[in-house]
């Protein structure tokens, strides 16, 4: 596969995607710090709350802006190619959704089954919920990314008309939303920044594709500008240092995103693209490029299952009498034990990837005999995103009921995929009709 890559392909896009997923995995495995308290109860420790200095590390480990930057580049390439071939939006969008959501189905089913049997076996529901919530944290990102992808034809047209002014307008809107939220207390309006901030970074992906960052000096100016703005917002403004949520904090930079997180995205964009030319020369080496291709071939599986591996290791340690969980997070002994724990996480993650990667590799282009009506695409998208948002917000584990599972939450992404024109429910209905 590595040898078959066309020479015009920008391999740095794939490299940044692979690099970012590794940063996410390491960050998640570090920040989650469960331990046993004096009574022997499991506490869900959070490293950023235990060690305030570690919040500065999120400026490097919060790499969601890089994902949206890469997404803007990739969506720009694929949508431009679709337009050139007079392709249908429905086919393009369904294929993008399928690549992202198809690998989610097995992880939802697995954790639905775990929640069900955990409840039936009499495990405390709070523990079942804690494990389920932690394992399914990654799905929130997909809900937002799907919305941004769905808007790609509109945002691409906006880019072609306004160029970098399209980014400036979105940044101004994000700043206005923060002012209304933080200084005037307007409720719920901050959720609009899920679009303004992430679509704004997505626009920079279009800019990258069209050569706006080809000059290293230009990229470094963006980096320094983003860094200066971020330091200003954190030092003088009301924004916290941490670029992800910290338990007990009054303001979070990520849920919903703020202009501070957008400044981080500007900084990371400039820094990453200032290394593009030497990195592309490095990626001409077949050995390094093969590793990048391998990572990208299972990137969704790594992203979706790495926290399941974490939870399974924690459960095993708890069942063995809490071995290793009695160490207080943040101490010297805790840090010295990280390599051992990481080795265990990797040992459990690899088999999960081997089992479930076929759902990712099997997500080829969505094939239909006719374009799906737009109302079905919209409804399907809303159902998928609502389901993923509910999984992140309220969990699939239910505090009451016989099953212990919120079945309607689990069902929403499956139904949404059926409306878009693929997925298990769609295939079942199609076979029934045949």
């Amino acid at each position: 596969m590595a040898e078959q890559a066309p020479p015009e392909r920008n391999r740095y896009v794939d490299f940044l995607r692979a690099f970012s997923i590794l940063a996410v995995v390491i960050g998640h495995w570090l920040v989650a710090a469960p331990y046993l308290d004096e009574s022997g109860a499991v506490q869900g420790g959070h490293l950023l709350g235990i060690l305030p200095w570690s919040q500065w590390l999120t400026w490097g480990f919060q790499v969601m802006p890089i994902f949206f930057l890469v997404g803007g580049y990739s969506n720009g390439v694929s949508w431009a190619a679709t337009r050139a071939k007079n392709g249908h939006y429905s086919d393009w969008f369904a294929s993008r959704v399928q690549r992202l959501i198809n690998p989610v189905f097995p992880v939802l089913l697995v954790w639905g089954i775990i929640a069900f049997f955990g409840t039936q076996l009499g495990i405390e529901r709070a523990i079942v919920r804690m494990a389920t919530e932690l394992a399914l944290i990654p799905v929130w990102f997909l809900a937002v990314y799907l919305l941004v992808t769905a808007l790609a034809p509109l945002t691409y047209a906006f880019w072609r008309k306004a160029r970098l002014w399209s980014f400036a307008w979105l940044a101004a809107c994000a700043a206005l939303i923060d002012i209304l939220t933080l200084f005037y207390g307007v409720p719920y309006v901050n959720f609009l920044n899920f679009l303004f901030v992430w679509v704004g970074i997505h626009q920079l992906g279009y800019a990258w594709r069209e050569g706006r960052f080809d000059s290293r000096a230009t990229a470094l100016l963006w980096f320094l500008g983003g860094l200066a703005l971020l330091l200003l917002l954190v030092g003088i403004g009301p924004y916290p240092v941490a670029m992800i949520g910290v338990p007990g904090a009054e303001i979070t930079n990520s849920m919903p995103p703020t202009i501070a997180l957008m400044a981080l995205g500007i900084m990371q964009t400039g820094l990453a693209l200032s290394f593009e030319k030497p990195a592309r020369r490095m990626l001409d080496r077949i050995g390094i490029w093969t590793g990048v291709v391998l990572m990208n071939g299972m990137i969704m599986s790594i992203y979706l299952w790495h926290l399941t591996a974490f939870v399974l290791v924690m459960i095993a340690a708890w069942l063995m009498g809490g071995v290793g969980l009695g160490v207080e997070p943040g101490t010297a002994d805790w840090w010295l034990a990280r390599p051992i724990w990481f080795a265990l996480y990797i040992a459990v993650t690899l088999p999960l990837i081997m089992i479930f990667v076929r759902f990712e590799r099997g997500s080829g282009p969505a094939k239909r005999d006719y374009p799906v009506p737009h109302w079905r695409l919209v409804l399907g998208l809303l159902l998928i995103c609502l389901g993923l948002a509910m999984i992140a917000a309220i969990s699939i584990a239910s505090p009451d009921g016989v099953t212990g599972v919120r079945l309607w939450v689990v069902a929403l992404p499956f139904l949404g995929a059926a409306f878009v024109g693929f997925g298990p429910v769609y295939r079942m209905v199609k076979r029934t009709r045949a």
Side-chain angles (χ1 to χ4, degrees):
M1 291 173 62
E3 291 173 347
Q4 292 172 0
E8 67 272 13
R9 185 181 184 91
N10 187 342
R11 299 181 177 186
Y12 194 50
V13 174
D14 302 281
F15 173 83
L16 284 181
R17 190 183 294 114
F19 177 84
S20 299
I21 205 68
L22 289 177
V24 169
V25 170
I26 293 171
H28 281 164
W29 285 349
L30 271 180
V31 78
Y35 64 96
L36 294 178
D37 61 17
E38 295 179 357
S39 66
V42 179
Q43 301 295 328
H46 197 287
L47 188 64
L48 302 186
I50 296 169
L51 297 177
W53 65 264
S54 65
Q55 296 176 18
W56 290 96
L57 298 179
T58 62
W59 290 26
F61 284 105
Q62 169 56 293
V63 290
M64 286 302 145
I66 297 296
F67 275 103
F68 283 95
L69 173 73
V70 169
Y73 190 106
S74 301
N75 287 335
V77 170
S78 63
W79 177 241
T82 299
R83 291 174 69 232
K85 297 176 183 177
N86 294 319
H88 294 285
Y89 169 75
S90 62
D91 291 337
W92 176 84
F93 178 63
S95 294
R96 307 300 280 184
V97 174
Q98 186 171 348
R99 287 184 59 190
L100 291 169
I101 202 66
N102 214 43
V104 176
F105 295 142
V107 76
L108 292 184
L109 291 175
V110 165
W111 276 100
I113 293 170
I114 291 175
F116 172 78
F117 282 103
T119 302
Q120 305 312 308
L121 292 172
I123 299 175
E124 189 177 339
R125 294 198 182 210
I127 294 177
V128 174
R129 179 181 177 123
M130 183 193 302
T132 305
E133 284 182 340
L134 182 55
L136 296 179
I137 282 175
V139 302
W140 77 264
F141 161 75
L142 296 177
V144 181
Y145 190 80
L146 283 171
L147 283 173
V148 173
T149 299
L151 295 173
L154 295 177
T155 59
Y156 187 71
F158 189 24
W159 164 259
R160 289 176 61 85
K161 183 176 182 179
R163 302 301 177 184
L164 282 173
W165 280 107
S166 65
F167 168 79
W169 277 107
L170 290 163
C173 289
L176 176 61
I177 292 298
D178 277 7
I179 292 171
L180 293 175
T181 300
L182 299 175
F183 296 100
Y184 293 94
V186 180
Y188 306 118
V189 71
N190 55 343
F191 285 94
L192 289 173
N193 267 353
F194 275 117
L195 289 180
F196 290 141
V197 169
W198 294 130
V199 171
I201 302 299
H202 194 264
Q203 296 296 98
L204 293 182
Y206 297 149
W208 175 20
R209 175 177 173 263
E210 293 197 1
R212 297 302 179 99
F213 294 95
D214 283 354
S215 168
R216 191 173 193 183
T218 300
L220 286 174
L221 282 175
W222 278 78
F223 163 68
L224 293 174
L227 176 60
L229 177 60
L230 185 55
L231 289 172
L232 187 67
L233 291 171
V234 170
I236 300 177
Y239 300 95
V241 170
M243 292 295 117
I244 65 173
V246 178
E250 294 183 5
I251 301 174
T252 172
N253 280 318
S254 60
M255 289 290 184
T258 64
I259 193 67
L261 189 55
M262 191 173 227
L264 178 73
I266 295 171
M267 183 189 82
Q268 290 182 345
T269 296
L271 181 62
L273 298 187
S274 67
F275 290 102
E276 181 178 8
K277 290 181 180 177
R280 292 181 72 168
R281 289 194 295 268
M282 175 190 71
L283 292 169
D284 286 336
R285 302 173 186 174
I286 190 63
I288 297 174
W289 172 235
T290 300
V292 172
V293 171
L294 177 64
M295 278 289 296
N296 276 271
M298 55 186 180
I299 202 161
M300 284 296 296
S301 301
I302 296 171
Y303 179 72
L304 291 169
W305 289 100
H306 75 279
L307 282 178
T308 293
F310 176 91
V311 172
L312 292 178
V313 170
M314 291 297 110
I315 291 174
W318 175 62
L319 291 175
M320 290 189 292
V323 58
L325 296 179
V327 181
E328 183 180 351
T331 61
D333 289 339
W334 186 86
W335 283 106
L336 288 172
R338 288 312 92 195
I340 299 173
W341 286 104
F342 272 48
L344 293 173
Y345 303 150
I346 293 170
V348 177
T349 301
L350 289 176
L352 290 173
I353 293 172
M354 292 172 66
I355 293 169
F356 294 105
V357 73
R358 65 189 184 91
F359 292 94
E360 184 169 355
R361 292 175 179 170
S363 351
K367 298 178 180 178
R368 286 170 304 279
D369 298 329
Y370 55 89
V372 175
H374 284 182
W375 70 267
R376 277 181 51 184
L377 293 177
V378 172
L379 180 58
L381 173 67
L382 291 178
L383 289 174
I384 291 172
C385 292
L386 178 62
L388 297 179
M390 290 295 99
I391 290 167
I394 65 173
S395 175
I396 65 171
S398 175
D400 45 39
V402 177
T403 64
V405 181
R406 289 187 171 98
L407 296 174
W408 65 273
V409 173
V410 177
L412 284 174
F414 290 86
L415 292 174
F419 274 102
V420 174
F422 70 93
V425 176
Y426 174 78
R427 289 192 293 270
M428 181 177 65
V429 172
K430 196 172 182 180
R431 283 196 297 268
T432 303
R433 289 179 176 175

